[in-house]
Amino acid sequence: MKKNIAIVAGGDSSEIVISLKSAEGIHSFIDNDKYNLYIAIVKHDGWFVQLPDGTHTPIDKDDFSFCEQGEKRRFDFAYITIHGTPGEDGRLQGYFDMIGLPYSSCGMLVSALTFNKYVCNHYLKGFGVRIADSVLLRRDYNVVPEEIIHRLGLPLFVKPNDGGSSFGITKVKQADELQPAIDKAFSEGHEVVIESFIQGTEVTCGCYKVKGKEVVLPLTEVVTQNEFFDFDAKYNGQVQEITPARLSDELTAKVQQETSRIYDILGAKGLIRVDYIIPEDGTPYLLEINTTPGMTATSFIPQQVRAAGLSMTDVMNDIIDNELN
């Protein structure tokens, strides 16, 4: 009998629109001859399943089941593709652990850790991972722009610490831009991280590991004419994404090895994507880790899978079978 797979999308952040696009991508990647596929939407104001006939039916939160044609159906596996809370910060993972439903991504602790950019980067710094200098702000913090700029210099980046990487980010070039940038970041999260600017080549690398198999994907180089890789660059075509990246074999191998090492340090699970900036000295600096990376047809991971000569369907099978078998 075919297993029932929930592709869990939605969330309660501005990135819901991206999550829904990723759900469509994953739906096209998973073998529907092997599995029954449903898109499950999880939002603060309701949980429901999209049925094949286009109608919606509510999810029973006691066991994440739903009714179809008068029959109660249970899911055998959940592929989480929520970018932001509650699917990227460990909350949904903890719920699935409690009801015993296998899922695709990192567990609750790792998801919570990686979702907090400041804490995650400083944790990994203890293992020798290079990171930019940074400052963490909470809402009750008395900001003294001069002190922050003295410590980090200009330009610098201001971003939500507990949010995705598409909204609320500002590259600050002048002192009078700092406070508005902080206010903007707080509109997307409860904490704000301010990071020093590192000039270099931005790259990203996907990785997953299953029983007896490790796959570290080719790198993608990100080139944009915008100030940084913002929402318009990602989703409105204002970027050049070059896969494989135009790096030497030696530097490519260094980034791939670091990605694999970070995966193991964290005890990650499923597909992750690690973003870096590489200055002229060739030492990769970690930017952030994505444990539910974008999965539209043109997202980084599918690009990298194609460049590696692999099939997204086979990758999905690896991840699902690893949890079900």
Side-chain angles (χ1 to χ4, degrees), residues 112-123:
L113 174 64
T114 53
F115 192 66
N116 189 307
K117 300 179 181 70
Y118 184 88
V119 172
C120 181
N121 285 11
H122 282 79
Y123 171 74

Side-chain angles (χ1 to χ4, degrees), residues 62-263:
D62 286 344
D63 56 7
F64 208 67
S65 64
F66 66 102
C67 287
E68 184 178 18
Q69 297 178 344
E71 293 186 10
K72 181 171 181 173
R73 303 195 188 280
R74 296 178 182 272
F75 288 113
D76 299 290
F77 180 85
Y79 198 106
I80 302 172
T81 187
I82 293 176
H83 311 308
T85 188
E88 197 172 7
D89 58 0
R91 299 183 188 190
L92 196 58
Q93 288 80 358
Y95 164 76
F96 285 151
D97 287 338
M98 291 178 68
I99 66 171
L101 180 63
Y103 53 88
S104 57
S105 65
C106 296
M108 180 179 67
L109 177 60
V110 177
S111 297
L113 174 64
T114 53
F115 192 66
N116 189 307
K117 300 179 181 70
Y118 184 88
V119 172
C120 181
N121 285 11
H122 282 79
Y123 171 74
L124 290 170
K125 182 181 179 181
F127 292 86
V129 176
R130 299 289 293 275
I131 65 171
D133 291 337
S134 61
V135 171
L136 178 67
L137 303 181
R138 295 187 174 89
R139 288 189 183 275
D140 58 352
Y141 186 88
N142 184 26
V143 177
V144 181
E146 294 78 12
E147 292 181 3
I148 293 174
I149 292 169
H150 177 73
R151 176 173 171 179
L152 301 179
L154 287 172
L156 50 77
F157 279 104
V158 180
K159 61 182 77 172
N161 184 49
D162 51 346
S165 57
S166 297
F167 295 93
I169 304 175
T170 306
K171 182 179 180 181
V172 172
K173 296 181 178 180
Q174 300 177 162
D176 61 359
E177 297 172 349
L178 182 55
Q179 188 59 57
I182 292 171
D183 295 340
K184 179 181 177 181
F186 270 128
S187 73
E188 295 289 340
H190 299 292
E191 297 178 344
V192 169
V193 62
I194 305 177
E195 293 179 341
S196 62
F197 172 72
I198 299 173
Q199 182 70 47
T201 302
E202 185 171 349
V203 298
T204 186
C205 180
C207 176
Y208 74 94
K209 301 186 183 187
V210 293
K211 298 179 183 74
K213 183 176 183 179
E214 173 183 355
V215 177
V216 185
L217 296 168
L219 276 56
T220 299
E221 180 182 348
V222 181
V223 182
T224 177
Q225 299 304 311
N226 297 6
E227 288 289 354
F228 57 95
F229 190 46
D230 59 6
F231 182 87
D232 285 333
K234 290 180 182 180
Y235 301 107
N236 292 329
Q238 299 173 11
V239 67
Q240 213 182 347
E241 299 169 3
I242 303 167
T243 309
R246 298 170 299 182
L247 302 178
S248 67
D249 291 344
E250 179 182 7
L251 187 50
T252 296
K254 181 189 290 189
V255 174
Q256 290 174 318
Q257 290 164 8
E258 185 75 336
T259 302
S260 177
R261 188 171 79 96
I262 287 171
Y263 194 104

